[in-house]
Amino acid sequence: MKKVAILVDWDNLRGILQKALKEGLFSKFNFNKPEHLLTFLRAFLLDNEEEIYRIFFYLAPPLRECPKGNDLTTTPTYRHATRFMENIAKQDLG
């Protein structure tokens, strides 16, 4: 079995998935749930020929403050983004 690495530009993929969800191309899919996202990424593998070695996500931590000095760590967006990053880093690919 061939081991493959998957490289994900998260902001671009997230934008594409959001658009697909709005257009109704997916149902019952939540890209913020790591298990849904891993199932989606596994769909690109060749059955019985490839297995995931590692997934590399290209994404930056959210801003902690804006240029005007406002603290962003208390916002729902900041909490959601950091929780997503922590959860996706803990996933077992097995």
Short mmCIF file of all heavy atoms in Angstrom, two decimals, residues 29-58:
data_model
loop_
_atom_site.label_atom_id
_atom_site.label_comp_id
_atom_site.label_asym_id
_atom_site.label_seq_id
_atom_site.Cartn_x
_atom_site.Cartn_y
_atom_site.Cartn_z
N PHE A 29 -23.11 17.81 6.02
CA PHE A 29 -21.65 17.87 6.05
C PHE A 29 -21.25 19.12 6.82
O PHE A 29 -21.74 20.20 6.55
CB PHE A 29 -21.10 17.94 4.62
CG PHE A 29 -19.60 18.07 4.56
CD1 PHE A 29 -18.80 16.95 4.74
CD2 PHE A 29 -19.01 19.29 4.33
CE1 PHE A 29 -17.42 17.05 4.68
CE2 PHE A 29 -17.63 19.40 4.27
CZ PHE A 29 -16.84 18.28 4.45
N ASN A 30 -20.38 18.95 7.79
CA ASN A 30 -19.91 20.08 8.59
C ASN A 30 -18.38 20.07 8.53
O ASN A 30 -17.75 19.24 9.16
CB ASN A 30 -20.40 19.97 10.03
CG ASN A 30 -20.00 21.16 10.87
OD1 ASN A 30 -19.10 21.91 10.53
ND2 ASN A 30 -20.66 21.31 11.99
N PHE A 31 -17.81 20.98 7.74
CA PHE A 31 -16.36 20.98 7.58
C PHE A 31 -15.62 21.42 8.83
O PHE A 31 -14.40 21.32 8.90
CB PHE A 31 -15.92 21.82 6.37
CG PHE A 31 -16.30 23.26 6.45
CD1 PHE A 31 -15.52 24.16 7.14
CD2 PHE A 31 -17.42 23.71 5.79
CE1 PHE A 31 -15.87 25.50 7.21
CE2 PHE A 31 -17.77 25.05 5.84
CZ PHE A 31 -16.99 25.94 6.55
N ASN A 32 -16.34 21.89 9.82
CA ASN A 32 -15.71 22.24 11.10
C ASN A 32 -15.56 21.04 12.02
O ASN A 32 -14.92 21.13 13.06
CB ASN A 32 -16.50 23.34 11.81
CG ASN A 32 -16.36 24.65 11.08
OD1 ASN A 32 -15.26 25.10 10.81
ND2 ASN A 32 -17.48 25.26 10.73
N LYS A 33 -16.16 19.92 11.65
CA LYS A 33 -16.00 18.68 12.42
C LYS A 33 -14.87 17.89 11.79
O LYS A 33 -14.95 17.49 10.62
CB LYS A 33 -17.29 17.86 12.41
CG LYS A 33 -18.39 18.50 13.22
CD LYS A 33 -19.56 17.55 13.34
CE LYS A 33 -20.59 18.14 14.27
NZ LYS A 33 -21.70 17.21 14.47
N PRO A 34 -13.81 17.63 12.55
CA PRO A 34 -12.65 16.92 11.98
C PRO A 34 -13.00 15.59 11.32
O PRO A 34 -12.46 15.26 10.27
CB PRO A 34 -11.73 16.72 13.18
CG PRO A 34 -12.06 17.85 14.10
CD PRO A 34 -13.55 18.05 13.93
N GLU A 35 -13.93 14.83 11.90
CA GLU A 35 -14.26 13.53 11.32
C GLU A 35 -14.92 13.68 9.95
O GLU A 35 -14.70 12.88 9.05
CB GLU A 35 -15.13 12.68 12.25
CG GLU A 35 -16.46 13.30 12.63
CD GLU A 35 -16.42 14.24 13.84
OE1 GLU A 35 -15.33 14.63 14.29
OE2 GLU A 35 -17.51 14.59 14.32
N HIS A 36 -15.71 14.73 9.75
CA HIS A 36 -16.32 14.99 8.43
C HIS A 36 -15.23 15.38 7.43
O HIS A 36 -15.24 14.92 6.28
CB HIS A 36 -17.36 16.10 8.51
CG HIS A 36 -18.61 15.71 9.20
ND1 HIS A 36 -19.78 16.40 9.02
CD2 HIS A 36 -18.91 14.71 10.07
CE1 HIS A 36 -20.75 15.85 9.74
NE2 HIS A 36 -20.22 14.81 10.39
N LEU A 37 -14.33 16.24 7.86
CA LEU A 37 -13.27 16.71 7.00
C LEU A 37 -12.34 15.56 6.60
O LEU A 37 -11.94 15.44 5.43
CB LEU A 37 -12.48 17.83 7.69
CG LEU A 37 -11.44 18.54 6.86
CD1 LEU A 37 -12.03 19.10 5.59
CD2 LEU A 37 -10.81 19.65 7.68
N LEU A 38 -12.01 14.68 7.54
CA LEU A 38 -11.14 13.54 7.22
C LEU A 38 -11.83 12.58 6.25
O LEU A 38 -11.18 12.05 5.34
CB LEU A 38 -10.73 12.82 8.50
CG LEU A 38 -9.79 13.60 9.40
CD1 LEU A 38 -9.55 12.86 10.71
CD2 LEU A 38 -8.48 13.89 8.71
N THR A 39 -13.12 12.37 6.41
CA THR A 39 -13.86 11.53 5.47
C THR A 39 -13.81 12.15 4.07
O THR A 39 -13.60 11.45 3.07
CB THR A 39 -15.32 11.36 5.92
OG1 THR A 39 -15.32 10.71 7.19
CG2 THR A 39 -16.13 10.54 4.93
N PHE A 40 -13.98 13.45 3.98
CA PHE A 40 -13.91 14.16 2.70
C PHE A 40 -12.54 13.97 2.06
O PHE A 40 -12.43 13.64 0.88
CB PHE A 40 -14.22 15.65 2.93
CG PHE A 40 -14.03 16.50 1.72
CD1 PHE A 40 -15.00 16.54 0.73
CD2 PHE A 40 -12.90 17.29 1.57
CE1 PHE A 40 -14.83 17.34 -0.39
CE2 PHE A 40 -12.72 18.08 0.46
CZ PHE A 40 -13.69 18.11 -0.53
N LEU A 41 -11.47 14.17 2.83
CA LEU A 41 -10.12 14.05 2.28
C LEU A 41 -9.79 12.61 1.88
O LEU A 41 -9.11 12.39 0.88
CB LEU A 41 -9.10 14.58 3.28
CG LEU A 41 -9.17 16.09 3.56
CD1 LEU A 41 -8.22 16.47 4.67
CD2 LEU A 41 -8.91 16.89 2.30
N ARG A 42 -10.28 11.65 2.64
CA ARG A 42 -10.03 10.24 2.29
C ARG A 42 -10.70 9.86 0.96
O ARG A 42 -10.26 8.92 0.30
CB ARG A 42 -10.54 9.33 3.40
CG ARG A 42 -9.63 9.27 4.59
CD ARG A 42 -10.09 8.21 5.59
NE ARG A 42 -9.20 8.15 6.71
CZ ARG A 42 -9.49 8.55 7.94
NH1 ARG A 42 -10.69 9.03 8.21
NH2 ARG A 42 -8.61 8.46 8.90
N ALA A 43 -11.73 10.57 0.58
CA ALA A 43 -12.42 10.27 -0.67
C ALA A 43 -11.52 10.47 -1.89
O ALA A 43 -11.80 9.95 -2.97
CB ALA A 43 -13.68 11.14 -0.80
N PHE A 44 -10.42 11.19 -1.75
CA PHE A 44 -9.52 11.44 -2.86
C PHE A 44 -8.48 10.32 -3.03
O PHE A 44 -7.73 10.32 -4.00
CB PHE A 44 -8.80 12.78 -2.67
CG PHE A 44 -9.72 13.95 -2.83
CD1 PHE A 44 -10.32 14.52 -1.72
CD2 PHE A 44 -10.02 14.46 -4.07
CE1 PHE A 44 -11.20 15.58 -1.85
CE2 PHE A 44 -10.89 15.52 -4.22
CZ PHE A 44 -11.48 16.09 -3.10
N LEU A 45 -8.43 9.39 -2.10
CA LEU A 45 -7.47 8.29 -2.17
C LEU A 45 -7.96 7.20 -3.11
O LEU A 45 -9.17 6.99 -3.26
CB LEU A 45 -7.24 7.68 -0.78
CG LEU A 45 -6.70 8.62 0.29
CD1 LEU A 45 -6.61 7.88 1.62
CD2 LEU A 45 -5.35 9.17 -0.11
N LEU A 46 -7.02 6.50 -3.72
CA LEU A 46 -7.38 5.35 -4.54
C LEU A 46 -7.64 4.17 -3.62
O LEU A 46 -6.79 3.79 -2.82
CB LEU A 46 -6.24 5.02 -5.50
CG LEU A 46 -5.86 6.11 -6.50
CD1 LEU A 46 -4.64 5.68 -7.30
CD2 LEU A 46 -7.03 6.41 -7.43
N ASP A 47 -8.82 3.59 -3.73
CA ASP A 47 -9.20 2.46 -2.86
C ASP A 47 -8.18 1.34 -2.94
O ASP A 47 -7.73 0.97 -4.01
CB ASP A 47 -10.57 1.92 -3.26
CG ASP A 47 -11.69 2.86 -2.90
OD1 ASP A 47 -11.50 3.71 -2.02
OD2 ASP A 47 -12.77 2.74 -3.52
N ASN A 48 -7.84 0.80 -1.78
CA ASN A 48 -6.92 -0.33 -1.65
C ASN A 48 -5.53 -0.11 -2.23
O ASN A 48 -4.77 -1.05 -2.37
CB ASN A 48 -7.54 -1.59 -2.28
CG ASN A 48 -8.84 -1.96 -1.62
OD1 ASN A 48 -8.99 -1.89 -0.41
ND2 ASN A 48 -9.81 -2.35 -2.44
N GLU A 49 -5.21 1.11 -2.62
CA GLU A 49 -3.88 1.40 -3.16
C GLU A 49 -3.15 2.45 -2.34
O GLU A 49 -1.93 2.48 -2.34
CB GLU A 49 -3.98 1.86 -4.61
CG GLU A 49 -4.45 0.80 -5.57
CD GLU A 49 -4.51 1.31 -6.99
OE1 GLU A 49 -3.67 2.15 -7.37
OE2 GLU A 49 -5.40 0.86 -7.73
N GLU A 50 -3.89 3.33 -1.70
CA GLU A 50 -3.26 4.43 -0.97
C GLU A 50 -3.82 4.54 0.45
O GLU A 50 -4.99 4.22 0.68
CB GLU A 50 -3.51 5.76 -1.70
CG GLU A 50 -2.90 5.84 -3.06
CD GLU A 50 -3.21 7.14 -3.78
OE1 GLU A 50 -4.29 7.72 -3.54
OE2 GLU A 50 -2.39 7.56 -4.59
N GLU A 51 -2.97 4.98 1.34
CA GLU A 51 -3.40 5.28 2.70
C GLU A 51 -2.72 6.58 3.12
O GLU A 51 -1.65 6.93 2.61
CB GLU A 51 -3.08 4.15 3.66
CG GLU A 51 -1.61 3.91 3.87
CD GLU A 51 -1.35 2.78 4.87
OE1 GLU A 51 -2.18 2.53 5.75
OE2 GLU A 51 -0.28 2.16 4.75
N ILE A 52 -3.35 7.28 4.03
CA ILE A 52 -2.82 8.56 4.46
C ILE A 52 -1.63 8.36 5.39
O ILE A 52 -1.71 7.64 6.37
CB ILE A 52 -3.89 9.39 5.18
CG1 ILE A 52 -5.02 9.75 4.20
CG2 ILE A 52 -3.29 10.67 5.76
CD1 ILE A 52 -6.19 10.46 4.85
N TYR A 53 -0.54 8.98 5.02
CA TYR A 53 0.65 9.03 5.88
C TYR A 53 0.50 10.21 6.84
O TYR A 53 0.65 10.09 8.04
CB TYR A 53 1.91 9.17 5.03
CG TYR A 53 3.09 9.72 5.77
CD1 TYR A 53 3.72 8.96 6.77
CD2 TYR A 53 3.58 10.99 5.51
CE1 TYR A 53 4.80 9.47 7.47
CE2 TYR A 53 4.66 11.49 6.20
CZ TYR A 53 5.27 10.73 7.17
OH TYR A 53 6.33 11.23 7.86
N ARG A 54 0.16 11.35 6.28
CA ARG A 54 0.01 12.55 7.08
C ARG A 54 -0.78 13.60 6.27
O ARG A 54 -0.71 13.60 5.05
CB ARG A 54 1.38 13.11 7.44
CG ARG A 54 1.31 14.23 8.45
CD ARG A 54 2.64 14.51 9.09
NE ARG A 54 2.94 13.41 10.01
CZ ARG A 54 4.17 13.11 10.38
NH1 ARG A 54 5.20 13.77 9.93
NH2 ARG A 54 4.38 12.11 11.22
N ILE A 55 -1.50 14.44 6.98
CA ILE A 55 -2.19 15.57 6.34
C ILE A 55 -1.55 16.85 6.87
O ILE A 55 -1.45 17.03 8.08
CB ILE A 55 -3.69 15.57 6.65
CG1 ILE A 55 -4.35 14.29 6.14
CG2 ILE A 55 -4.37 16.80 6.03
CD1 ILE A 55 -5.80 14.13 6.55
N PHE A 56 -1.11 17.68 5.96
CA PHE A 56 -0.52 18.96 6.33
C PHE A 56 -1.52 20.06 6.03
O PHE A 56 -1.93 20.23 4.89
CB PHE A 56 0.77 19.21 5.54
CG PHE A 56 1.86 18.21 5.83
CD1 PHE A 56 2.03 17.10 5.02
CD2 PHE A 56 2.70 18.39 6.92
CE1 PHE A 56 3.04 16.18 5.29
CE2 PHE A 56 3.70 17.48 7.20
CZ PHE A 56 3.87 16.37 6.38
N PHE A 57 -1.92 20.79 7.06
CA PHE A 57 -2.83 21.92 6.89
C PHE A 57 -2.02 23.20 6.89
O PHE A 57 -1.23 23.45 7.80
CB PHE A 57 -3.84 21.98 8.06
CG PHE A 57 -4.99 21.06 7.90
CD1 PHE A 57 -4.90 19.75 8.33
CD2 PHE A 57 -6.16 21.50 7.31
CE1 PHE A 57 -5.96 18.89 8.19
CE2 PHE A 57 -7.23 20.64 7.15
CZ PHE A 57 -7.13 19.33 7.59
N TYR A 58 -2.23 23.99 5.84
CA TYR A 58 -1.62 25.30 5.77
C TYR A 58 -2.67 26.29 6.26
O TYR A 58 -3.66 26.57 5.58
CB TYR A 58 -1.20 25.62 4.33
CG TYR A 58 -0.69 27.02 4.16
CD1 TYR A 58 0.57 27.38 4.63
CD2 TYR A 58 -1.46 27.98 3.53
CE1 TYR A 58 1.04 28.67 4.48
CE2 TYR A 58 -0.99 29.27 3.37
CZ TYR A 58 0.25 29.60 3.84
OH TYR A 58 0.70 30.89 3.70
#
